[in-house]
Every structure is written in structure tokens, then in C-alpha cells.
Amino acid sequence: MDAEFVNPFLNALQNVLSMMAQMELKPGKPQIKKDEYARGDVSGIIGMVGPQVKGSFSISFEENLACEIMHKMLGELPDSVDEEVCDMVGEITNMVTGGAKKELAERGFDFDMATPIVVSGRDHTISHKSEGAKLIMPFNHVAGKAYIEICFDKLRA
Amino acid sequence: MDAEFVNPFLNALQNVLSMMAQMELKPGKPQIKKDEYARGDVSGIIGMVGPQVKGSFSISFEENLACEIMHKMLGELPDSVDEEVCDMVGEITNMVTGGAKKELAERGFDFDMATPIVVSGRDHTISHKSEGAKLIMPFNHVAGKAYIEICFDKLRA
């Protein structure tokens, strides 16, 4: 999985959070995931299917960071991951994947998105079950960490 | 969402567990999900995209039930949800969705599957973010409970 393919997802996440919440997340070092799991308190997950590929994308937030995004967006700071925070994470998942899809389609790389799913629960882990490489990328903010994971079965088949 | 559409998923789950683990899960009452969440300790999630629909499927197991399925399949009883149990849940997710896909395709209802994702973490909840109806269906076994959820955005558009 090369940078040309991954960068649209990273750019889309930074754009979405900058636009919606005026927040800047600092990207860490992307890694090909082997033993490491994305870990968070609330995660958005979405499936992707195209003629060349199938795969999945996820974004996991620590609770404090998810609540702070909500705070910046709506002015209210939730105590914990509630229904509204879950809805927001679903929206972010849709917007990030949609942004990446648009950029990749312009390069002739098409896929359709399924509907997002949101998982909540203290310190859960996410594991993408695919034959292809799994890329995990941490993001840092003073309020907490986020992880995105991208995984595709057949890239440029 | 009508029974004609949902039954293939329920049948596939019962077939897969009967074949792989000689276990019989008793289906409970299916419900249109409003406030209720699927809750479990390990869940398999998969996205579906077709010309008529997009949606998502999930299956959540309580830890004891997931471990017992592993026990019945491989003869070893794991202490907790480990890497192997997660792999098994990913496989079950693929097989159930694949079984339902085949049955539905014969009726002219096509979709492609994304790759599965497995979530683990004590007592997490799953929430499908879709505009369409969300069906939740509990299954009972002496070892524990399982929940499947099916959700589609545009059914027979």
C-alpha cells in the first residue's frame, strides 16, 4: 500500500476536523500493522468495495478526544461517549471516506462505500481481517489520540 | 426489511455453526432496533454494497459463547477472546454473509462484500448508522448469547 493511496485518507481526516471543529491533529508515523491494534473508546468503521479492491477503513478515538471534538463542534462538552458522540463519529467516518473516495476516483481508482458502523466501549481493539497489508496511523492532539486503519484485499489487481 | 431478506442471514448463521461446531443456536425474536444495542465481547462486522443497496452486517458474541465455539471447532477451550478467537469470528462473519449473499443473488438481489473487521473488548456496543431499518436478532445458547444486526440504506430502490 503506497503513499499515493493512503494520503487521501489522511488529508481527508485533517480537512474534516479542521473544517468541522477547527482542530489540528498531528499525524504520527504510519506503520504496516502486524501485532499492533488500533485501540480506542469509540470507533467508526466502514466497508469499501470496488472493481479493483475490497477493504475497510476505521477511525478510533480516545474518549477525551471524541468529547473535545464534540465540544468544538457544538459548544457542549459531553461527560462521556453518548449517542450524540457516536452519531458524530459515524458522520466523520462517512466524510473522511467520502473525501478520500473523491480524490482517488479522480485518479481512476473507484470504490463504493457501505454504511458506517460505530462501536463504543472502553479500550476496545479493532482488527481488519484482510489478506492485504494493513496500515495503521496514529494522530496526536492534546486532548487524546486517534488511530486510523486502512486495509485492502487486492490493490491494483 | 422483510423476512424474505433477513432469513438468509439467520439460516446461514445456523448452518455455519451447525457445520463448523455442531452447535445449535436458538433464534429469539427479531426486532426493529430503536434504542437497543447489540452488545458483546467480540464482534465481526462487514460492509455490503450492491446496485440496489448498501448496508452492514454484524454478529456479536458473549465471550463464553465465542470460546465454546472455538472449543467445539478445535478441541481447545481458550481462557478468553484471543487472536485465534478473533480470527474465527472474522471467518464466521465472512461465511454467514457469503451464505446469505448466495441465497439472495438467486433471487436477483445482488451485493458485494467488503472485508470483515473484528472488534474485541468487554461489553462493547455496536450501532449501525444507516437511514434504513435496523434489524436486531438475539440467539441463545447455554454457553451465552449472540446478536446479529442487519441494516440497509435503500432496500429495493
Side-chain angles (χ1 to χ4, degrees), chain B residues 115-130:
Chain B
T115 47
I117 293 179
V118 177
V119 175
S120 65
R122 177 69 65 189
D123 213 23
H124 62 261
T125 61
I126 303 259
S127 175
H128 294 246
K129 299 297 177 193
S130 160

Side-chain angles (χ1 to χ4, degrees), chain A residues 37 45 47-49 54-56 83 86-87 112-120 124-129 153, chain B residues 37 45 47-49 54-56 83 86-87 112-120 124-130 153:
Chain A
Y37 287 100
I45 292 171
M48 300 173 285
V49 179
K54 58 180 180 168
S56 50
E83 180 78 26
C86 287
D87 283 348
D112 284 317
M113 294 153 54
T115 47
I117 293 178
V118 177
V119 175
S120 64
H124 62 262
T125 61
I126 303 260
S127 175
H128 294 246
K129 299 297 178 192
D153 245 12
Chain B
Y37 288 98
I45 292 171
M48 301 174 284
V49 180
K54 58 180 179 168
S56 49
E83 179 79 27
C86 287
D87 283 348
D112 284 318
M113 294 153 54
T115 47
I117 293 179
V118 177
V119 175
S120 65
H124 62 261
T125 61
I126 303 259
S127 175
H128 294 246
K129 299 297 177 193
S130 160
D153 244 12

Side-chain angles (χ1 to χ4, degrees), chain B residues 90-135:
Chain B
E91 278 304 309
I92 291 174
T93 307
N94 245 337
M95 291 172 75
V96 170
T97 316
K101 170 181 160 63
K102 185 162 174 286
E103 194 173 328
L104 287 163
E106 285 164 6
R107 302 182 195 167
F109 193 84
D110 276 316
F111 61 84
D112 284 318
M113 294 153 54
T115 47
I117 293 179
V118 177
V119 175
S120 65
R122 177 69 65 189
D123 213 23
H124 62 261
T125 61
I126 303 259
S127 175
H128 294 246
K129 299 297 177 193
S130 160
E131 288 157 27
K134 297 160 190 70
L135 188 123

Side-chain angles (χ1 to χ4, degrees), chain A residues 60-76:
Chain A
S60 298
F61 296 96
E62 289 181 352
E63 182 172 66
N64 277 350
L65 178 55
C67 291
E68 181 59 20
I69 296 171
M70 195 75 184
H71 183 206
K72 285 280 173 41
M73 277 174 58
L74 298 187
E76 280 176 45

